[in-house]
Amino acid sequence: MAEILALVEARLRTALGEPDARAAITFLGTDRIEVLRFIDADAGLVRYATLGMSAQPMADPTAVLADPVKGPRAELVLSVRAGRADTDKVLRPLAVLAATPQVEGVVVAPGASLDVGEPLWPDATFSSVLVAEPGGLVEDLELDAPMDPVRFLPLLPMTPNEAAWKRVHGAKALEERWLANGTDLRDPLRGSVNLD
């Protein structure tokens, strides 16, 4: 487990640079989850990445026994515009989302919605995120067979209206709506996209 997390952290550092802060949270009955913060001054972005979610493979909730080796592994990455909101308060909600596979026995995959039931940061209009496709910002980390690679899943904050619309129309339709409207998904202060 420690060896996998060391490889994951090395991959994050290669892709995002040196983290300038980190926080660790442990929930009862789960492994420790860390959240690393990376500042991309050139792009004006702050990126938060979880570290610990990939230590164990995610198990199919219908399986009688969880396989300790095989199964999907992932970490979560959130990118927001720097200096527009107190987004550092997202550390605990991100850790909660990263612990979801251990706590609730779910497999987090692209297209899924994850909800923390409270604003992601103070005064945020978002309490949930859409899990996007990996591979853009941080490449998958291949592990020795028979282990699955670690995928770095981007998170896209959703307003309650967007989350409700996504439940009806699907993730692809919501992403197309965002694209058609030129929505800045990294803006921590943005409102809901036009859903009419």
Side-chain angles (χ1 to χ4, degrees):
M1 180 174 98
E3 181 182 326
I4 290 171
L5 295 184
L7 293 171
V8 168
E9 184 168 351
R11 175 57 55 94
L12 287 168
R13 287 171 184 265
T14 299
L16 306 176
E18 288 297 312
D20 78 321
R22 64 195 308 145
I25 298 176
T26 305
F27 301 101
L28 188 63
T30 67
D31 295 327
R32 172 178 145 133
I33 302 285
E34 288 189 87
V35 180
L36 282 59
R37 182 179 72 185
F38 300 86
I39 305 291
D40 185 343
D42 294 338
L45 297 174
V46 181
R47 302 187 196 279
Y48 302 93
T50 62
L51 180 63
M53 182 177 171
S54 62
Q56 305 292 334
M58 292 182 275
D60 180 341
T62 63
V64 177
L65 286 174
D67 190 315
V69 178
K70 293 182 185 173
R73 295 175 188 262
E75 296 291 353
L76 308 175
V77 181
L78 173 69
S79 300
V80 292
R81 298 229 172 270
R84 302 206 59 205
D86 187 10
T87 56
D88 281 351
K89 297 287 196 285
V90 79
L91 301 178
R92 182 171 173 74
L94 268 183
V96 168
L97 296 177
T100 302
Q102 289 183 58
V103 174
E104 297 181 19
V106 298
V107 175
V108 176
S113 300
L114 301 174
D115 195 318
V116 292
E118 61 185 40
L120 293 176
W121 51 81
D123 301 321
T125 56
F126 320 106
S127 63
S128 63
V129 294
L130 175 65
V131 181
E133 290 290 336
L137 186 61
V138 185
E139 289 182 25
D140 292 355
L141 173 65
E142 296 293 333
L143 300 175
D144 294 337
M147 291 187 285
D148 289 21
V150 177
R151 302 171 86 200
F152 297 88
L153 303 172
L155 300 180
L156 307 174
M158 292 188 293
T159 66
N161 285 348
E162 291 169 342
W165 197 85
K166 183 255 177 192
R167 280 192 293 277
V168 174
H169 299 280
K172 186 151 183 57
L174 178 58
E175 289 175 337
E176 288 170 357
R177 186 60 60 105
W178 281 334
L179 191 60
N181 284 272
T183 306
D184 181 0
L185 297 174
R186 295 172 174 167
D187 182 355
L189 301 176
R190 76 171 180 86
S192 186
V193 71
N194 181 4
L195 298 170
D196 294 333

